[in-house]
Amino acid sequence: MSLVFDEYGRPFIILREQQQQARIKGPEAQKANILAARSVTSLLRTSLGPKGMDKMLVSSDGEVTISNDGATILQKMEVEHQVAKLLVDLSQSQDNEIGDGTTGVVVLAGALLEQAEKLLDRGLHPVRISEGFEKAAEVAFKHLETISDRVEFSKEDTTPLVDTAMTTLSSKIINIYKRKMAQIAVDAVLSVADLDNNDVNFDMIKVKGKPGGRLEETELIKGIVIDKEFSHPQMPKEITDAKMCILTCPFEPPKPKTKHKLDITSKEAYDKLYQYEQEYFTTMVKQCKDSGANLVICQWGFDDEANHLLLQNELPAVRWVGGVELELIAIATGARIVPRFSELTEAKLGKAGRVREVSFGTTKERMMVIEDCACSNAVTVLIRGGNKMIVDEAHRSLHDAMCVVRNLIKDNRVVYGGGSAEVSCSLAVSAFADTVPGIEQYAIRAFADALEDLPMALAENAGLSPITEVTTIKARQLAEGNPRLGVDCNQIGSADMKDHLVFETLIGKQQQLQLATQVVKMILKIDDVIMYG
């Protein structure tokens, strides 16, 4: 396509043959975009809530992922359509900012698009619909603050944190062990949290997965776990009061930088070279011993000669430790990373209460555990599971739970789940619509109807009658003025979500409303799609 001007300066577009079909304009473009986006949202709708179904995704190279997490499903789907990609980015930004609610935000966006399509069919202008949605979102945002509750917790009383983490885990594959997993998530976050400043350093929490064993064998280790073992099988498997030197220089004689050739013509010359090499090794080991170190952690490998000398000198060593792990060990133990043997001093050593090697099952798989680190409260969650898919999904689920606990430490206000907050907001937005003159009133009412789609999806996925459930909850919320009434997915006989202990963080729910509304506004404002070529 090219833009040219005639002799009077009027612009006109020259389209190549077949390009006319590749271009859609006006209402057609809006309908096509809404259809593409809704095809993605309908796919995630069945994954919402504690009874939501999982999706199996098979990549082009045959790798299988089973997940219930909205962001993961959309990321692995390899969506081609330009507008549908906006929804992938939407769930990703919810995941980056909040960590939970990635499925809910996409389902809400889909419900808003469905309502917008009905309004477009009635002849409303997309900009007026966008303005109405914006006003309604503002009302819902403020209403969430009025119905929220503050939960008080401390390092001694973590019950509210565990309850909120359990709500997040209830829809995951590991929900059978949600009490234990929620406790692990809370303990991990509180270990690295600065409660005075309401801050959590996530870099100090590492999650390691090891297929094999049972899911309930997942444990929280107060220290660092690295996927390595001692370099020699005869080295001790446990060191107490470890003083470790962290090296980024290899245990081997230096190599000339240029190309070189060495001619050895006699036995004496060979012996001299051998002696020279031995001196290098013994000097290196001696420098490590003189610094007071009783454990060597090296970024590079070392040959059998150096390994044998280290064993003889009773100096346990670990080789091929990655740069990221090396930095974490240095931060946690208070060590300095040393680039040359000559710079080793006692002040540069890191200290840890215990370093041990653990092995798993009948395999030869081993891991190193560094506990009671001197300078930091770094922790590692070691996830076990029957296969790699379960370990990966448990990793994603625990990450979501930790993010929710972090959000609650930053802002301890919660709203109740089970669709109760959405129904309460829907009623507030409907009431606000009565006060608005003009055509935006239709869009504001449509927003209220879209909010009811989430509790309907929850009821649908739990095998209940969606219309009956949602109308009953709406009627009871209006009659009793109780914003905690939601869908009883677990069938415990009470619709009050406080009895279910189903909480969600306020900032997570507000973020969902804002992000979904912004994306829908963006999609509605597109009225011309020009394809390349």
Side-chain angles (χ1 to χ4, degrees):
M1 183 186 80
S2 53
L3 183 70
V4 292
F5 298 89
D6 63 11
E7 63 269 28
Y8 301 108
R10 292 175 300 198
F12 62 95
I13 292 170
I14 297 175
L15 290 171
R16 290 199 198 101
E17 216 177 327
Q18 300 295 320
Q19 203 173 8
Q20 190 65 45
Q21 289 102 328
R23 182 180 181 194
I24 43 176
K25 295 171 68 177
E28 266 183 44
Q30 283 151 354
K31 294 275 177 66
N33 291 340
I34 289 172
L35 184 68
R38 281 187 57 203
S39 63
V40 172
T41 60
S42 60
L43 188 129
L44 282 192
R45 193 183 158 90
T46 54
S47 294
L48 190 71
K51 306 288 187 205
M53 307 299 269
D54 290 356
K55 303 278 181 267
M56 180 189 274
L57 301 138
V58 184
S59 68
S60 52
D61 55 357
E63 191 184 330
V64 177
T65 307
I66 296 175
S67 184
N68 183 282
D69 181 53
T72 308
I73 294 168
L74 291 180
Q75 211 175 8
K76 301 266 182 186
M77 262 172 55
E78 295 176 12
V79 176
E80 289 284 315
H81 197 279
Q82 307 77 16
V83 172
K85 277 180 184 170
L86 291 175
L87 291 173
V88 179
D89 296 340
L90 167 70
S91 70
Q92 201 56 55
S93 51
Q94 174 79 11
D95 196 37
N96 294 343
E97 193 64 30
I98 303 296
D100 188 36
T102 51
T103 310
V105 72
V106 176
V107 172
L108 178 59
L112 287 170
L113 286 169
E114 188 181 344
Q115 294 297 330
E117 192 173 15
K118 289 177 187 172
L119 294 174
L120 286 170
D121 288 341
R122 286 191 198 170
L124 262 77
H125 194 276
V127 174
R128 304 304 294 272
I129 298 172
S130 299
E131 285 169 3
F133 280 180
E134 187 65 38
K135 285 179 183 173
E138 210 172 302
V139 171
F141 187 89
K142 286 175 181 166
H143 182 69
L144 280 172
E145 286 183 9
T146 60
I147 63 169
S148 65
D149 277 357
R150 281 195 182 276
V151 290
E152 298 304 328
F153 59 87
S154 62
K155 284 214 169 187
E156 290 71 42
D157 177 28
T158 59
T159 315
L161 295 177
V162 175
D163 289 341
T164 314
M166 278 169 66
T167 304
T168 301
L169 294 173
S170 60
S171 64
K172 309 292 183 190
I173 205 167
I174 59 173
N175 63 3
I176 191 166
Y177 304 117
K178 65 180 178 184
R179 161 72 59 184
K180 182 182 178 179
M181 294 296 183
Q183 194 63 57
I184 285 174
V186 170
D187 291 346
V189 172
L190 286 178
S191 299
V192 300
D194 178 2
L195 291 181
D196 299 330
N197 297 325
N198 293 346
D199 188 38
V200 178
N201 183 2
F202 256 35
D203 292 337
M204 302 312 280
I205 302 174
K206 285 282 172 276
V207 182
K208 287 270 182 192
K210 201 76 176 168
R214 302 192 309 278
L215 198 56
E216 63 264 37
E217 287 172 13
T218 299
E219 59 178 324
L220 178 70
I221 293 163
K222 296 286 174 98
I224 298 166
V225 176
I226 54 172
D227 208 348
K228 300 290 169 199
E229 55 185 292
F230 285 115
S231 60
H232 199 289
Q234 290 177 336
M235 285 176 179
K237 301 297 177 206
E238 189 170 320
I239 303 162
T240 48
D241 295 327
K243 293 177 182 173
M244 59 188 79
C245 59
I246 299 176
L247 303 171
T248 54
C249 43
F251 258 100
E252 55 185 37
K255 292 182 175 72
K257 295 281 187 288
T258 54
K259 284 186 178 180
H260 64 285
K261 187 181 175 192
L262 195 63
D263 287 327
I264 297 173
T265 52
S266 65
K267 177 183 176 297
E268 288 75 23
Y270 181 81
D271 286 343
K272 193 175 175 185
L273 192 68
Y274 175 72
Q275 201 66 42
Y276 184 66
E277 193 177 74
Q278 288 297 303
E279 273 174 34
Y280 251 102
F281 283 135
T282 47
T283 308
M284 287 171 183
V285 175
K286 186 173 181 299
Q287 282 169 329
C288 291
K289 290 289 277 186
D290 290 349
S291 67
N294 60 1
L295 173 64
V296 176
I297 293 178
C298 187
Q299 188 176 11
W300 302 103
F302 33 85
D303 57 17
D304 295 340
E305 192 79 45
N307 209 0
H308 173 67
L309 272 170
L310 287 165
L311 177 67
Q312 272 188 332
N313 286 278
E314 297 177 356
L315 196 58
V318 186
R319 55 184 163 185
W320 297 119
V321 179
V324 177
E325 291 168 330
L326 218 60
E327 284 177 20
L328 187 65
I329 294 168
I331 292 166
T333 59
R336 298 286 296 275
I337 296 174
V338 180
R340 294 183 194 85
F341 285 94
S342 54
E343 292 179 15
L344 261 176
T345 59
E346 194 173 349
K348 292 180 179 177
L349 300 181
K351 294 176 179 63
R354 186 162 71 134
V355 178
R356 59 193 170 94
E357 186 181 280
V358 290
S359 55
F360 300 102
T362 55
T363 60
K364 290 184 179 173
E365 300 238 352
R366 295 185 179 89
M367 279 181 144
M368 301 275 305
V369 180
I370 302 167
E371 294 174 309
D372 304 330
C373 302
C375 286
S376 152
N377 36 14
V379 292
T380 306
V381 181
L382 184 60
I383 300 173
R384 307 303 311 279
N387 56 37
K388 189 173 181 295
M389 279 182 287
I390 286 181
V391 170
D392 289 346
E393 181 63 2
H395 185 167
R396 286 189 286 269
S397 306
L398 273 171
H399 175 263
D400 285 6
M402 286 178 200
C403 288
V404 165
V405 175
R406 188 236 358 230
N407 295 339
L408 212 51
I409 288 172
K410 285 186 171 181
D411 183 350
N412 65 345
R413 290 176 296 173
V414 296
V415 290
Y416 293 89
S420 60
E422 281 84 359
V423 171
S424 183
C425 286
S426 169
L427 293 170
V429 171
S430 292
F432 170 70
D434 296 338
T435 65
V436 177
I439 212 158
E440 276 102 349
Q441 189 182 115
Y442 287 102
I444 294 168
R445 284 195 196 288
F447 191 95
D449 292 343
L451 283 171
E452 288 171 21
D453 199 55
L454 273 107
M456 283 181 92
L458 281 174
E460 212 173 287
N461 294 344
L464 307 169
S465 167
I467 295 169
T468 313
E469 286 291 322
V470 175
T471 48
T472 309
I473 292 162
K474 272 184 84 172
R476 282 188 62 189
Q477 280 207 19
L478 273 172
E480 299 170 30
N482 180 1
R484 299 192 301 269
L485 298 171
V487 180
D488 181 12
C489 291
N490 296 323
Q491 297 292 286
I492 67 166
S494 164
D496 194 326
M497 291 296 124
K498 205 166 189 175
D499 301 339
H500 287 249
L501 297 176
V502 175
F503 309 119
E504 289 182 71
T505 54
L506 172 68
I507 51 174
K509 192 58 82 180
Q510 287 180 328
Q511 182 89 357
Q512 272 189 353
L513 279 173
Q514 284 182 318
L515 289 180
T517 310
Q518 284 165 11
V519 165
V520 169
K521 278 173 62 187
M522 185 189 284
I523 292 171
L524 287 175
K525 284 198 168 184
I526 299 168
D527 76 332
D528 200 345
V529 180
I530 302 162
M531 306 288 277
Y532 174 73

